[in-house]
Amino acid sequence: MNIVAIDGPAASGKGTLARKVADKIGFAYLDTGALYRFVAHTVMQRFGDPSDKNDAIEAAEFCRDFFDPSLLDNPDLRLDEAGQAASKVAVVPKVRTALLDLQRNFAVNPGAGFKGAILDGRDIGTVICPDAPVKLFVTASDEVRAERRTKELQSKGISVTKAAVLKDMRERDARDAARDTAPMKPADDAITIDSSDLTPAEMLDKALDIIKERLSL
Ligand code: CDP
């Protein structure tokens, strides 16, 4: 079972790392945060209010039934509004259940031509793939994460301040860590990488060393 699970808080660098690792070792990559963002966006477009449990469940089941990976490429999903709304729908247990099989199927059937699967999110190592042979938990200081997310949004022409990004990020992290179902936390057997003082290239090297030691590639 060639599965790499990467979890961590908002803007910790886990997505960039996961994409690079996937590319380097020929694994398929699933950004599970994008799934929750997609559900949140769908609630706002078609079903109503992301804070309403029933609207969120209806949207999650709709997204599951009509899922197509290309839908995750919608740039609107990257907006902060979608991230905040995602963390609201993500507290609802039935929303998480609706997205469970999709994620697990991806992990075990990454598709022809791929040697394995890499998934990033909040509960990959704890709930989605508890038997994954490699589990990483990527963190960084609040300051560094806010700086990264601010630059990322500004580079897309979105006008934000670092203070507002930091506030939203902390609010979202608190919600993700405090929820009853699948809270964000490192799995007992996860290796934590603090990316605060690492360049993307250094992070990649560190992750690849761990992965190559644990998987026979
Ligand atoms: O990109 P960023 O790290 O800011 O967030 P994301 O990975 O796109 O996730 C957006 C939100 O979806 C998170 O704040 C979580 O509330 C939720 N999420 C989750 O509950 N479980 C996952 N496996 C992935 C994301």
Side-chain angles (χ1 to χ4, degrees), residues 9-11 14 31-34 36-37 78 83 86-87 90 96 103 121-124 149 172 176 179:
K14 60 188 185 313
D31 171 0
T32 68
Y36 288 91
R37 286 170 181 265
R78 304 321 315 163
S87 77
R96 307 196 71 85
Q103 296 173 82
R122 302 290 186 287
D123 62 341
I124 308 303
R149 185 50 50 95
R172 187 146 67 87
D176 288 347
R179 67 181 175 226

Side-chain angles (χ1 to χ4, degrees), residues 128-143:
I128 304 296
C129 304
D131 298 326
V134 185
K135 297 180 188 176
L136 304 176
F137 194 83
V138 180
T139 60
S141 70
D142 288 6
E143 278 298 311

Side-chain angles (χ1 to χ4, degrees), residues 65-116:
D65 295 344
F66 296 97
F67 183 68
D68 177 326
S70 68
L71 295 167
L72 302 184
D73 297 332
N74 180 349
D76 288 352
L77 301 188
R78 304 321 315 163
L79 299 176
D80 230 33
E81 185 196 18
Q84 281 292 349
S87 77
K88 291 180 185 159
V89 302
V91 303
V92 181
K94 279 189 180 158
V95 166
R96 307 196 71 85
T97 307
L99 303 178
L100 197 70
D101 284 350
L102 208 153
Q103 296 173 82
R104 286 198 178 142
N105 287 341
F106 181 90
V108 294
N109 292 312
F114 293 107
K115 292 186 206 148

